[in-house]
């Protein structure tokens, strides 16, 4: 079972090595990188390439580790007992299965995505250590033990918003998705916008990297944002000449696809003002 990439996802060699190493070691693959570099999409493409079902667990700031295992709805059981409902006698009727439970009982190997784990409380990763290690957990209300028949391929993503505990990191195979270089980005663009004219692509990507490298930029535009930008350039039928910036306006054409906060827009406006003063 080897991941070699897909036609819809440009995976670098080191990323392929990381995925296959995690599969071989049967360890969770922890993937970090800038937002928009394809971390979540990686899990979907691994599942597609290996012909596996995928289970997605998207983490929020309020998510608790227990929710990945199961939740016991005591309130509903109390209400049903007051109403004299017969199902109240079987506690299993009030157990809601979480994403890990679903992956464990799937009956075949699956890809389990735990997306943006750094959004949750700092204790969240540690609370899953034993379950991810042993691939089993105990349901106290019913007395049963849920054990994975097939160990899922676990892919965990993080935007690096907070540090993860060392004990958790020791149990993962780690990979950082670096921002793609020009050649890799060309390949990514070709997947999403095949046949794009080379002169337009050269001008657009050159300008895109110049924007990313502008000192003082609060949020650098990501891979997904340059793809959106290129889609707009094509829709507006803009030429390479249309993209040229001058001292009157340092803002790129259709800049709302690339610059996502007012500080960065004001930065380029100040650059234009300074350029005019120097004339």
């Amino acid at each position: 079972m080897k991941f070699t990439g897909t036609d819809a996802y440009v995976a670098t060699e080191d990323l392929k090595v990381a995925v296959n190493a995690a599969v071989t070691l049967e360890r969770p693959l922890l993937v970090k990188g800038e937002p928009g570099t394809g971390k979540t999409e990686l899990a979907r493409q691994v599942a597609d390439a290996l012909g596996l079902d995928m289970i997605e667990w998207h983490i929020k700031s309020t998510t608790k580790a227990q929710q990945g295992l199961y939740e016991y709805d005591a309130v509903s059981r109390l209400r049903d007992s007051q109403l004299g409902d017969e199902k109240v006698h079987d506690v299993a009727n009030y157990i809601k299965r979480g994403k890990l439970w679903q992956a464990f009982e799937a009956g075949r190997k699956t890809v389990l995505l735990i997306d943006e784990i750094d959004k949750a409380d700092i204790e969240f990763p540690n609370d899953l250590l034993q379950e991810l290690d042993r691939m089993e957990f105990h349901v106290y209300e019913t007395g049963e033990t849920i054990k994975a028949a097939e160990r899922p391929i676990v892919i965990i993503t993080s935007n690096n918003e907070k540090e993860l505990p060392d004990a958790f990191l020791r149990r993962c195979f780690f990979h950082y998705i670096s921002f793609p270089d020009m050649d890799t980005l060309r390949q990514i663009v070709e997947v999403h916008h095949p046949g794009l004219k080379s002169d337009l692509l050269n001008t657009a990507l050159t300008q895109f990297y110049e924007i990313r490298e502008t000192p003082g930029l609060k949020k650098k535009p990501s891979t997904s944002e340059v793809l959106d930008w290129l889609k707009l350039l094509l829709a507006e039928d803009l030429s390479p000449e249309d993209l040229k910036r001058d001292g009157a306006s340092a803002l790129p054409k259709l800049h709302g696809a690339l610059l996502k906060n007012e500080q960065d827009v004001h930065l380029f406006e100040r650059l234009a003002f300074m350029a005019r003063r120097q004339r």
Side-chain angles (χ1 to χ4, degrees):
M1 187 175 283
K2 288 274 188 182
F3 175 65
T4 57
T6 68
D7 292 339
Y9 187 88
V10 177
T12 58
E13 284 304 316
D14 57 344
L15 180 54
K16 295 176 191 175
V17 168
V19 171
N20 292 320
V23 172
T24 300
L25 293 172
E26 295 188 327
R27 295 279 192 181
L29 173 63
L30 174 61
V31 185
K32 290 187 179 184
E34 291 181 29
T37 49
K39 301 184 296 298
T40 302
E41 187 62 24
L42 169 66
R44 298 180 181 130
Q45 295 300 325
V46 169
D48 185 57
L50 302 181
L52 304 177
D53 293 330
M54 180 173 166
I55 295 172
E56 301 186 32
W57 186 14
H58 298 284
I59 307 303
K60 300 177 182 179
S61 59
T62 56
T63 304
K64 302 298 181 185
Q66 179 65 32
Q67 294 172 300
L69 308 178
Y70 69 93
E71 292 181 89
Y72 169 52
D73 191 351
V75 174
S76 292
R77 192 181 189 195
L78 175 61
R79 184 189 62 238
D80 289 346
S81 69
Q82 293 170 338
L83 297 173
D85 196 317
E86 282 300 314
K87 72 177 184 179
V88 75
H89 300 296
D90 185 358
V91 69
N93 290 322
Y94 304 93
I95 301 292
K96 180 182 178 182
R97 300 175 182 186
K99 299 297 185 180
L100 267 72
W101 190 331
Q102 293 173 31
F104 287 4
E105 71 169 5
R108 62 191 296 261
K109 188 176 284 294
T110 61
V111 173
L112 172 63
L113 169 66
I114 304 177
D115 197 31
E116 297 189 328
I117 195 171
D118 51 327
K119 279 187 176 179
D121 184 86
I122 189 63
E123 292 303 320
F124 180 93
N126 280 338
D127 290 343
L128 288 177
L129 288 182
Q130 181 170 308
E131 288 75 16
L132 291 176
D133 260 354
R134 298 183 180 179
M135 285 292 154
E136 66 177 42
F137 63 90
H138 188 70
V139 183
Y140 295 98
E141 289 77 8
T142 63
E144 61 184 322
T145 297
I146 307 301
K147 188 170 184 177
E150 284 278 352
R151 180 179 284 265
I153 298 172
V154 181
I155 297 179
I156 302 170
T157 72
S158 169
N159 288 327
N160 229 6
E161 291 182 6
K162 64 169 68 84
E163 290 295 321
L164 299 174
D166 288 346
F168 178 78
L169 295 174
R170 283 199 301 271
R171 289 164 169 82
C172 298
F173 190 92
F174 172 76
H175 181 75
Y176 184 86
I177 298 183
S178 301
F179 194 83
D181 58 24
M182 181 79 82
D183 290 339
T184 304
L185 191 53
R186 286 178 189 278
Q187 296 176 47
I188 294 171
V189 171
E190 180 62 26
V191 169
H192 294 270
H193 304 296
L196 193 63
K197 292 180 180 178
S198 59
D199 53 349
L200 176 62
L201 181 60
N202 290 338
T203 303
L205 291 188
T206 298
Q207 189 172 126
F208 172 72
Y209 278 100
E210 288 174 354
I211 293 168
R212 272 187 59 88
E213 293 163 10
T214 300
L217 200 64
K218 183 176 180 182
K219 183 197 174 302
K220 295 182 178 182
S222 67
T223 309
S224 61
E225 287 160 339
V226 72
L227 293 174
D228 286 346
W229 187 49
L230 288 169
K231 183 177 181 179
L232 289 173
L233 298 183
L234 291 171
E236 295 293 327
D237 196 25
L238 298 182
S239 67
E241 290 72 27
D242 294 326
L243 297 185
K244 289 181 179 177
R245 295 179 293 171
D246 53 33
S249 176
L251 284 168
K253 290 288 191 295
L254 301 164
H255 63 268
L258 300 175
L259 305 177
K260 297 302 175 70
N261 59 69
E262 62 277 14
Q263 293 96 319
D264 289 341
V265 172
H266 293 160
L267 171 64
F268 280 90
E269 289 174 343
R270 287 196 300 273
L271 291 175
F273 176 73
M274 291 170 62
R276 289 195 298 270
R277 290 190 62 181
Q278 291 172 0
R279 287 186 172 183

